[in-house]
Amino acid sequence: MLKIAVCVSGGGTNLQAIIDSIKSGRLENVEIVRVISNNPNAYALERARNEGIDAVCVSPKSFSTRDEFNSALLDSLNEAKPDLVVLAGFLVVIPKNVIEAYRGRIINIHPSLIPSFCGTGYYGLKVHEAALQRGVKITGATVHYVDEGTDTGPIIMQKAVEVKEGDTPEILQRRVMEQAEWIILPESIGLIAKETEKK
Ligand code: GRF
């Protein structure tokens, strides 16, 4: 069984895609042991609670220094004892202590075809605004391992999505979520679960 902790900040549609994949049986031998958000109002926490999944908020606002937050985030992960940490719309720069503790065991979903439209400042709608601004005809999503950089770790899976005439950032974001993110994130976790089973 691959135990995963999912880190979220917002609506949690990628978390929901993982939950639905497990419930449908498409994603086997995977258990979500904890959902962690930096945002107490993240609807993603609600989605977890609806499924009886341990959902906790570790907010930077609750700590007087960033180091204290970083330690609390690591403690919360360690408490859950995950095999894999999944960043699903998590808008926190992953601190060095977490990278070191979970090296090679943290993955992220980014809403573009890396190396396009990624790195510092490229998150959420900003990614799609940049893609439309550049005029690309194809965009998509990427699942990659997380290292000390921003969106720089080894790529696991990508899926292309067509940009259509008249797309707004919101329309394009939705299409990338539906046609790419919600498919390749569960699939990537399934790949890792299968590789872990073999060991
Ligand atoms: C999505 O745009 C996703 O690409 C990015 O975070 C945003 C929110 O995702 N990673 P979610 O609905 O909270 O999963």
Side-chain angles (χ1 to χ4, degrees):
M1 181 67 75
L2 185 78
K3 295 184 175 179
I4 69 173
V6 184
C7 297
V8 295
S9 296
T13 64
N14 278 286
L15 167 66
Q16 193 65 53
I18 300 167
I19 291 169
D20 294 348
S21 295
I22 293 171
K23 289 172 78 171
S24 70
R26 275 196 316 279
L27 188 47
E28 296 176 330
N29 298 318
V30 174
E31 178 192 356
I32 303 173
V33 292
R34 176 165 282 189
V35 171
I36 301 174
S37 181
N38 60 308
N39 170 9
N41 304 315
Y43 186 63
L45 290 172
E46 192 69 28
R47 293 181 191 269
R49 292 183 184 118
N50 290 343
E51 300 293 331
I53 297 169
D54 178 30
V56 300
C57 177
V58 181
S59 168
K61 298 190 176 79
S62 309
F63 302 92
S64 44
T65 68
R66 195 71 191 187
D67 282 350
E68 284 176 20
F69 164 73
N70 292 344
S71 299
L73 179 61
L74 181 55
D75 289 348
S76 185
L77 282 168
N78 289 342
E79 262 176 9
K81 296 187 177 59
D83 301 305
L84 181 71
V85 179
V86 178
L87 310 182
F90 194 51
L91 299 179
V92 169
V93 174
I94 304 303
K96 200 163 174 52
N97 62 334
V98 171
I99 301 274
E100 285 170 354
Y102 290 90
R103 192 172 296 284
R105 296 194 290 146
I106 309 173
I107 66 173
N108 180 50
I109 175 86
H110 182 75
S112 76
L113 296 175
I114 289 174
S116 298
F117 313 118
C118 66
T120 306
Y122 286 102
Y123 57 89
L125 271 183
K126 293 174 187 285
V127 174
H128 306 292
E129 287 164 3
L132 290 171
Q133 177 68 33
R134 183 63 185 83
V136 294
K137 304 306 177 192
I138 297 290
T139 185
T142 302
V143 179
H144 63 94
Y145 283 104
V146 173
D147 60 14
E148 280 79 358
T150 304
D151 303 327
T152 52
I155 290 172
I156 300 168
M157 200 176 289
Q158 294 188 301
K159 193 165 191 315
V161 172
E162 186 189 1
V163 180
K164 295 186 176 179
E165 200 61 42
D167 271 349
T168 64
E170 292 76 8
I171 291 171
L172 184 54
Q173 178 180 51
R174 185 76 193 182
R175 188 178 310 120
V176 169
M177 286 168 137
E178 286 174 348
Q179 296 184 11
E181 296 178 42
W182 298 346
I183 295 167
I184 63 173
L185 186 54
E187 277 188 12
S188 298
I189 296 167
L191 216 55
I192 293 166
K194 286 193 181 79
E195 283 164 7
T196 307
E197 293 283 307
K198 284 182 203 151
K199 286 177 186 165

